[in-house]
Amino acid sequence: MNQEMNQIIQKEFNECKEIGDGILDLKILNDYSWQVVIKGPKLGPYEKGQFFIHVLFPKEYPKIPPKFRVLNKIYHMNINQQGCIALNTLKKEWSENIGVKKMLLEILSLFQKPNPQNPLNLKLAQQYQENCSEYYEKAQQWTQQYATFIDIKIE
């Protein structure tokens, strides 16, 4: 990794620490990747969930967007089985000025309100539009099963 890219990524890491609410943990894994743990927003199906997101920076960053992948199994129309996230900003709308902080904020907003206009899972998008309460119930079940962890305290 060249020094300029290293400085850009370190600056962005520090900016992401400012997000506060919604981000439980933020770690640099190596020169090209981070792990972010976000908490599901209150009053929704992802509440009490802890979602692990892997951020991978390409060597051409920031000209090319980083890849974001949710590592937990999740019931969400905008996130596929491989954990890829449907955000236009990660594809055709990307610019060097966007940055990781804005992307994480957009991901947090998808957890608050899924976007049926840009689904990766058409079946879930259809369910959301036809029977929203059933969609939320199933998303809540998956959150409890795959994203809820018990804190163990050793005395």
Side-chain angles (χ1 to χ4, degrees), residues 45-128:
Y46 308 105
E47 184 176 14
K48 298 183 181 172
Q50 296 179 25
F51 298 91
F52 291 78
I53 297 175
H54 183 245
V55 183
L56 181 65
F57 295 92
K59 292 179 181 175
E60 302 84 3
Y61 185 79
K63 290 183 168 75
I64 295 176
K67 293 187 184 328
F68 291 78
R69 194 165 72 89
V70 178
L71 302 177
N72 306 62
K73 194 170 179 180
I74 184 170
Y75 196 85
H76 197 297
M77 75 180 80
N78 304 111
I79 302 169
N80 69 16
Q81 291 178 335
Q82 293 75 37
C84 298
I85 305 166
L87 283 173
N88 288 332
T89 352
L90 287 173
K91 306 258 186 272
K92 57 188 172 191
E93 295 176 12
W94 175 257
S95 82
E96 294 180 33
N97 304 339
I98 291 177
V100 179
K101 181 179 179 181
K102 181 174 179 2
M103 297 310 309
L104 287 174
L105 291 169
E106 286 191 30
I107 291 167
L108 285 168
S109 75
L110 275 183
F111 276 81
Q112 292 174 326
K113 181 142 177 62
N115 180 2
Q117 304 306 314
N118 190 24
L120 284 177
N121 187 320
L122 296 173
K123 182 179 170 187
L124 296 186
Q126 182 178 1
Q127 179 189 36
Y128 179 84

Side-chain angles (χ1 to χ4, degrees), residues 124-146:
L124 296 186
Q126 182 178 1
Q127 179 189 36
Y128 179 84
Q129 291 174 322
E130 292 174 1
N131 191 344
C132 193
S133 61
E134 184 180 290
Y135 174 92
Y136 273 68
E137 185 178 315
K138 189 78 168 178
Q140 188 174 38
Q141 289 171 358
W142 280 41
T143 297
Q144 289 172 353
Q145 187 171 358
Y146 302 111

Side-chain angles (χ1 to χ4, degrees), residues 8-72:
I8 291 169
I9 290 176
Q10 186 61 52
K11 179 180 177 260
E12 292 209 34
F13 183 80
N14 292 334
E15 288 173 359
C16 289
K17 286 197 253 180
E18 297 169 2
I19 293 174
D21 194 37
I23 302 291
L24 295 174
D25 192 29
L26 184 63
K27 289 181 190 167
I28 296 174
L29 300 176
N30 60 45
D31 287 347
Y32 293 101
S33 65
W34 297 354
Q35 177 179 283
V36 182
V37 182
I38 64 172
K39 67 177 177 179
K42 292 183 179 180
L43 304 176
Y46 308 105
E47 184 176 14
K48 298 183 181 172
Q50 296 179 25
F51 298 91
F52 291 78
I53 297 175
H54 183 245
V55 183
L56 181 65
F57 295 92
K59 292 179 181 175
E60 302 84 3
Y61 185 79
K63 290 183 168 75
I64 295 176
K67 293 187 184 328
F68 291 78
R69 194 165 72 89
V70 178
L71 302 177
N72 306 62

